[in-house]
Amino acid sequence: MIKIQVYMKNNIEHQYLKLLDDILRNGVEKEDRTGTGTISVFGRQIRHKMSEGYPLLTTKKMAFKTMVTELIWFLRGDTNIKYLVDNGCNIWNGDAYTNYLKNSRPDESDKDFHKTRILISKEEFINKIKTDDEFAEKWGDLGPIYGKQWRKWGQFNDYTDQIQNLINDLKTNPDSRRLVVNAWNVGELDQMVLPPCHYGFQVYTRELNVEERLKYYFSKILKNKDLEDKARNHTDEEKLQYLTVANVPKRTISLMWNQRSVDTFLGLPFNIASYGLLLEIIAKEVNMVPDELIGNLGDVHLYKNHIEQAKEQMTREPMNLPQVTVQDGIFCSSVNDVRLENYESHPPIKAPLSN
């Protein structure tokens, strides 16, 4: 077994590498719907303080723009892969194509089955999604998955926008214990190409005291330590004037997501980065300070064709985490609304995606 060294400058990545080691040491072999086979453990948790940096892994180069595109797709309430493929994001292509194959096979009980069109290759399928709107509308849709549940929970035009409700509640009742968004709609699971793996999240806020707000103002906004030291000699009233004029946040916000099934090598790094970005986006929308990101993980597994790649990643030393800035809250319309800064990483490690 590969020995993992401890690099405390990047705690979230240290946790991730320990999780890979945990699976390799303690995992049991299990079959899965894809036929690939996994080694699996159950019930793990990861925690990250957003003040330590944006949680984008550095021991392999991450496809940041692909992850941002998918999250924007969720927030748009979209469930059709056309938006994704038009924007260079291909992570749902396999699920859409598998659905196409499953539902387009000729029915040999039909006397005219020989007239049924010939199934096309995956490459041809994606090209038709890009170029044929009628085909894309029929075969690009994945059913009522994340975007639909987040933005249009319900049926027959009686919809609930869970994201907008969350924003409204954060602004009007930030101490609520009902700040939850759920994607596991039992009544619609059979209509989804793939039931949600990360099936819900909850946010939590707390008030910042005057000194915490003052520190945030001078270290994150003005970035002037000399002025911060001088301000500490001011009266509480003067400090509050500083903070009010500068619209300094009054609260922190944390996010915890729940995940039933965790593809630890390919999927989990995306999930960590995606929910970290979602936390940043929500915080921007409601003027709060991103605090803690927590992942509750159920069936945590490595596919058998990812084992050697995981071992290679475990030999790499983590680098410092990057930073991310968001322009427009939940109304981000493109990857250009999100800026990644100071990202350094090891080279990518390729691995096959099991659909």
Side-chain angles (χ1 to χ4, degrees), residues 174-175 204-213 249-254 287-289 291:
D175 283 325
Y204 173 93
T205 81
R206 70 168 181 87
E207 286 190 17
L208 290 162
N209 61 41
V210 172
E211 293 304 319
E212 287 176 315
R213 293 179 67 203
K250 297 180 180 180
R251 284 180 173 263
T252 68
I253 180 169
S254 297
N287 193 30
M288 294 183 186
V289 178
D291 188 10

Side-chain angles (χ1 to χ4, degrees), residues 12-211:
I12 183 63
E13 195 140 20
H14 171 57
Q15 292 178 63
Y16 175 77
L17 296 176
K18 282 186 66 177
L19 185 57
L20 292 179
D21 186 60
D22 181 13
I23 298 170
L24 291 172
R25 289 179 182 274
N26 304 309
V28 297
E29 292 192 14
K30 296 188 68 176
E31 297 303 315
D32 70 285
R33 66 176 176 83
T34 73
T36 308
T38 69
I39 50 174
S40 167
V41 295
F42 183 66
R44 300 295 188 267
Q45 186 181 78
I46 55 173
R47 307 180 76 102
H48 172 65
K49 294 291 288 186
M50 295 296 288
S51 59
E52 296 176 1
Y54 175 62
L56 189 66
L57 299 192
T58 67
T59 46
K60 65 179 179 182
K61 185 175 179 61
M62 296 288 297
F64 177 71
K65 289 186 177 180
T66 296
M67 181 276 298
V68 176
T69 300
E70 183 195 43
L71 180 58
I72 291 173
W73 181 62
F74 292 160
L75 290 170
R76 285 163 50 98
D78 202 344
T79 59
N80 194 299
I81 67 166
K82 181 169 175 57
Y83 174 85
L84 298 179
V85 298
D86 285 349
N87 288 277
C89 177
N90 298 303
I91 55 180
W92 284 89
N93 290 1
D95 295 291
Y97 184 62
T98 299
N99 181 61
Y100 163 76
L101 294 178
K102 178 181 177 182
N103 292 287
S104 296
R105 296 193 181 282
D107 182 359
E108 295 189 17
S109 66
D110 184 346
K111 63 181 180 179
D112 294 322
F113 80 91
H114 62 279
K115 296 180 181 179
T116 305
R117 61 183 168 74
I118 299 172
L119 297 180
I120 58 179
S121 69
K122 184 175 180 181
E123 183 179 355
E124 292 170 321
F125 174 81
I126 298 305
N127 188 57
K128 283 182 71 70
I129 293 291
K130 292 179 179 179
T131 59
D132 185 332
D133 290 344
E134 184 178 349
F135 183 88
E137 183 177 357
K138 180 176 182 179
W139 295 111
D141 193 77
L142 301 175
I145 61 168
Y146 299 99
K148 196 271 184 183
Q149 304 305 331
W150 283 14
R151 305 309 302 260
K152 289 185 177 181
W153 177 289
Q155 295 180 331
F156 310 115
N157 296 319
D158 183 19
Y159 295 129
T160 296
D161 187 338
Q162 293 191 84
I163 296 295
Q164 189 60 61
N165 284 354
L166 175 67
I167 299 302
N168 293 343
D169 289 345
L170 282 168
K171 291 179 177 179
T172 60
N173 186 18
D175 283 325
S176 172
R177 297 188 293 270
R178 302 176 183 181
L179 303 172
V180 174
V181 171
N182 191 5
W184 193 263
N185 187 339
V186 175
E188 295 185 338
L189 290 179
D190 62 349
Q191 302 170 44
M192 303 177 189
V193 167
L194 182 69
C197 294
H198 43 101
Y199 58 86
F201 67 91
Q202 179 178 358
V203 298
Y204 173 93
T205 81
R206 70 168 181 87
E207 286 190 17
L208 290 162
N209 61 41
V210 172
E211 293 304 319

Side-chain angles (χ1 to χ4, degrees), residues 223-240:
K223 297 183 179 179
N224 191 317
K225 186 68 169 60
D226 292 337
L227 285 178
E228 179 184 353
D229 292 338
K230 291 179 182 178
R232 295 198 182 283
N233 296 322
H234 294 174
T235 66
D236 286 346
E237 184 177 347
E238 289 172 329
K239 292 176 183 177
L240 285 172

